[in-house]
Amino acid sequence: MPICPAPVRPLDPAAAAELTTAAAKLLAEHGSATSPELLAALPEACDRLGAPVRQALRPVDTADGLFVLRGLHLDNTELGPTPGHWSTVGDAGALWDVVLLLVSALMGTPIAWDGQQEGRFVHNIVPSPGHESEQTGASSGVLLTPHTEDAFHPGRAHLLLLCCMRNHDNIATTAASIRRTALARADVEQLKRPVVPILPDDAYDEAQQFAGRPAPVPTLFDTSEGPTMRFDPAYTPMDEADTEWRGAYRRLEDELARVSVAVSLEPGDVLVVDNDIVVHGRVPFTARYDGTDRWLKRASVRITGRPTRPAAEADEHGYGQAALLAFS
């Protein structure tokens, strides 16, 4: 059993069967996990799910800022080999795309991006040849630096969901909550200042070509629920910041490293991360490209009206990237 030092919410066999049966029914009715009609049908399908499923998928409710939904079982032999690139996945694991969409829709509204993985609402995260050293999900040989998902964008997800298809080598996802840190108040005040921007990551080619001036953003901000965070050091131009801010940022990095946990997922597990509280990453590994490598499916969820971000974010241009909603 992979070690998982994170809250685990068990899904009993009846609830797991209900969720996968609902997903299979939607897939059979609409023919494809990417069908607009399937996306539009998600809210009604969620309304039919019972209380045990809803209880397991209640909001993140601890300072850890995450939990693992466990109890879904995946047949490795039916899945097929791990693809070498997201664009070659086709319909492989389509049932689990729909399971993940149902889980997402129970918690909010699934979102996608025009400029990433062809606007799909479920992304496939696999190691890809030639991308080993990038700071993207396609990398393998380097530490994926802890970061807020899509930190460059004001419309980024409130929740990030990672569903494990395959993880023979027990490769860990790392996670660290701002609410577990013990940062000095002076450093917090420094990092509440909007000093430098966060630039688009390498998964967004069009956004990186955007001609608009990058807007400085705060790293930390206070809410009625506690501190929240917007953090991506790999795409933050540190040399544009003043000495005091850089020192505070380094101490935040150290604190996040101190409280970081390693979550090793097993097939069928769904890791739910509060993207306003927790930064996530991945330990390095050696990809084999033989069809047995680690394979995750990823979904992003927006929660309407959630008061966890500064009002000033509404004025950001988002580098021209448009978020797509699965349903209205």
Side-chain angles (χ1 to χ4, degrees):
M1 178 72 68
I3 296 171
C4 178
V8 174
R9 294 189 186 172
L11 201 59
D12 67 44
E18 181 183 17
L19 190 57
T20 53
T21 298
K25 184 173 184 292
L26 282 170
L27 190 59
E29 288 174 348
H30 299 288
S32 169
T34 62
S35 162
E37 291 76 21
L38 185 147
L39 296 172
L42 288 171
E44 185 177 344
C46 287
D47 287 343
R48 294 193 291 265
L49 295 172
V53 175
R54 294 178 179 280
Q55 174 63 13
L57 292 169
R58 66 191 184 275
V60 176
D61 55 8
T62 71
D64 301 281
L66 55 84
F67 66 85
V68 174
L69 182 71
R70 179 162 288 164
L72 295 165
H73 297 288
L74 186 151
D75 188 338
N76 181 68
T77 59
E78 293 182 358
L79 189 59
T82 300
H85 191 266
W86 67 263
S87 63
T88 64
V89 171
D91 293 329
L95 173 66
W96 295 96
D97 288 20
V98 185
V99 168
L100 195 55
L101 286 168
L102 281 170
V103 171
S104 299
L106 281 166
M107 307 186 81
T109 304
I111 64 171
W113 299 95
D114 269 341
Q116 193 175 28
Q117 295 205 10
E118 298 178 344
R120 299 183 188 196
F121 284 86
V122 176
H123 294 168
N124 287 275
I125 308 302
V126 294
S128 298
H131 298 269
E132 289 84 354
S133 298
E134 293 179 354
Q135 284 295 309
T136 67
S139 70
S140 53
V142 295
L143 175 73
L144 184 60
T145 305
H147 61 283
T148 301
E149 188 73 4
D150 299 322
F152 73 94
H153 203 283
R156 63 196 178 279
H158 293 101
L159 301 175
L160 174 72
L161 280 65
L162 298 172
C163 183
C164 180
M165 299 289 98
R166 179 171 290 132
N167 191 17
H168 294 326
D169 302 308
N170 292 336
I171 297 158
T173 299
T174 62
S177 169
I178 187 60
R179 296 184 184 173
R180 292 295 188 193
T181 62
L183 203 63
R185 191 65 211 175
D187 287 339
V188 172
E189 293 302 318
Q190 281 288 340
L191 296 173
K192 286 165 66 176
R193 297 165 51 214
V195 174
V196 292
I198 299 175
L199 305 176
D201 65 54
D202 289 340
Y204 291 90
D205 292 336
E206 291 181 7
Q208 290 184 333
Q209 305 304 316
F210 186 72
R213 180 179 175 82
V217 299
T219 302
L220 302 180
F221 29 95
D222 291 324
T223 75
S224 59
E225 300 174 358
T228 55
M229 174 172 49
R230 186 177 182 180
F231 181 85
D232 195 346
Y235 295 94
T236 298
M238 303 292 291
D239 56 352
E240 297 179 11
D242 56 75
T243 301
E244 292 79 7
W245 189 93
R246 288 201 304 270
Y249 198 95
R250 284 194 298 270
R251 287 185 286 274
L252 172 60
E253 289 183 289
D254 291 342
E255 270 297 289
L256 291 170
R258 182 181 68 82
V259 302
S260 181
V261 297
V263 183
S264 183
L265 300 173
E266 60 185 71
D269 281 354
V270 180
L271 175 63
V272 179
V273 174
D274 188 318
N275 199 41
D276 286 333
I277 300 173
V278 172
V279 291
H280 70 283
R282 189 216 61 242
V283 301
F285 65 99
T286 301
R288 292 181 293 270
Y289 307 124
D290 63 355
T292 66
D293 283 322
R294 176 181 183 261
W295 178 5
L296 304 181
K297 288 183 180 286
R298 179 179 68 200
S300 297
V301 177
R302 186 180 291 172
I303 302 173
T304 303
R306 195 179 193 216
T308 50
R309 296 172 184 174
E313 289 195 5
D315 296 327
E316 294 179 28
H317 51 59
Y319 299 88
Q321 290 299 293
L324 311 173
L325 302 180
F327 48 79
S328 56

